[in-house]
Amino acid sequence: MSGKHRGVQARVRQIIPEAIYVHCKAHNLNLAIVHACKEPLVRNIMDTIQQISFCFNESGKRTVFFRDELAENDEVKEDMGRRAKIQTLCDTRWASRCDALYTFLTAYPVVVSSLKKLERNGDSKARSFICCISKFDFLIALVVVEHILQIIHPLSIMLQAKTFDLIEAVQEAKVVNNKRNDDVEWEELFDKATSLAAKVDEIPTIPRGAARQQHRANVPAATPKEYWKRALYYPFLDHILQELEDRLAGNEARFQPQYSIPTKLDGLTDDISRHDLTAVSFDVFHIEVTRWKSRWAIVTNQKPGTLVETLKSTNQMLYPNVYVCLAILATMPVATATAERSFSVMRRVKTYLRSTMTTDRLSSLALMHAYKHTEIDVQQVINVFADRKSRRLAFLFRQ
């Protein structure tokens, strides 16, 4: 779709050079997290947690050990809620990994005690897992990554909704920027990692450094708190912020006409994007926008609150340029999450028991499943089916 030379967006721009390709914002957020998680320490803890979750979930013996340890630890059991096992990390939806990281972080004492019992029972993998998750670099990375992903997760849910405010989503993405200068929050995270390390008799340390180092962080620091802040917290947070700025907030100016909606006119300024209306001078456009704001200022009853309602209420002859801006904005798909849900519907409908289903039947069942909340007149369906063709025997008896 987004190929530079032969993609759909490239072919469209060959016909209309002014067209702007807008990538799915939900996918952009996911890609931002994927790229930020390529930091070595973050990548290592992700791989370790995934291996441990597979180790417990794919073995009945290990699962029994984990559940027995969880049943004996009332505090961890209460914090985990209904969760009764370690969750695996999703390969596609990286924003949802915060739930799996939270589960692992909450159940950390239970995981350690379960692995120790498995080691005493001759499990060959348990010892290596204990050594990996007992180090302080693993614990501090786990606490930091889980905390930051928890901040971004609500934004991911918002971008996958059927209706959402993109301007509000962009502003929410900028909230993460305030976390970088919050020293109190970093101290809380470090204290949390320190208390977690104390449960396995581990103390905060600085990795061995060298005068010339190429393959690991070798930042100058006097204390472990200062070192991990410079070597882990700042790099990961800066990577997230840069990715969010490049991928999510990059086309913010293209969506400024959203402030033309009557209920959002307070945010309408002279800097509103005109979407390359080269045939219109700025003075003419400014006068039209001023009239548009005055037109809705005198309205006292309920005003349009969505883009579709505003388009229907706009007189194209009186406000041609505002109408064009709103129409162009309406053609910009900001997310493909709703469209991609049809793939999930087809996967649920066409199972191996329905492998011989024809295309028409599959399409009809998929529509019924996707729009299952739509009310259907059963009697009308029966009448249409009965009258579709003439039969020797009366299919439907009417009085």
Side-chain angles (χ1 to χ4, degrees), residues 3 29 44 61 78 99 136 147 171 174 176 182-183 194 213 237 255 282 305-306 309-310 314 326 350 360 374 399:
L29 178 61
N44 292 341
K61 176 182 176 181
E78 183 179 356
D99 193 31
F136 187 76
H147 176 73
Q171 296 298 327
K174 296 179 179 179
V176 187
D182 193 349
D183 294 333
T194 303
Q213 186 61 259
L237 192 56
F255 298 96
F282 178 79
T306 63
E309 294 175 354
T310 305
T314 304
L326 293 173
K350 190 170 184 178
D360 292 340
T374 303
Q399 295 181 353

Side-chain angles (χ1 to χ4, degrees), residues 333-350:
V334 294
T336 59
T338 302
E340 290 184 1
R341 290 192 178 97
S342 60
F343 303 149
S344 302
V345 169
M346 293 181 65
R347 183 179 59 186
R348 290 191 292 267
V349 171
K350 190 170 184 178

Side-chain angles (χ1 to χ4, degrees), residues 313-379:
S313 304
T314 304
N315 190 321
Q316 191 173 356
M317 296 181 61
L318 295 176
Y319 307 97
N321 299 307
V322 173
Y323 184 87
V324 169
C325 290
L326 293 173
I328 293 175
L329 180 61
T331 62
M332 291 185 181
V334 294
T336 59
T338 302
E340 290 184 1
R341 290 192 178 97
S342 60
F343 303 149
S344 302
V345 169
M346 293 181 65
R347 183 179 59 186
R348 290 191 292 267
V349 171
K350 190 170 184 178
T351 63
Y352 70 96
L353 295 177
R354 298 170 176 167
S355 58
T356 59
M357 188 186 306
T358 60
T359 304
D360 292 340
R361 184 177 180 83
L362 174 63
S363 178
S364 300
L365 290 176
L367 286 173
M368 291 177 63
H369 181 74
Y371 300 98
K372 54 188 175 184
H373 299 293
T374 303
E375 296 183 1
I376 299 177
D377 189 349
V378 179
Q379 187 61 42

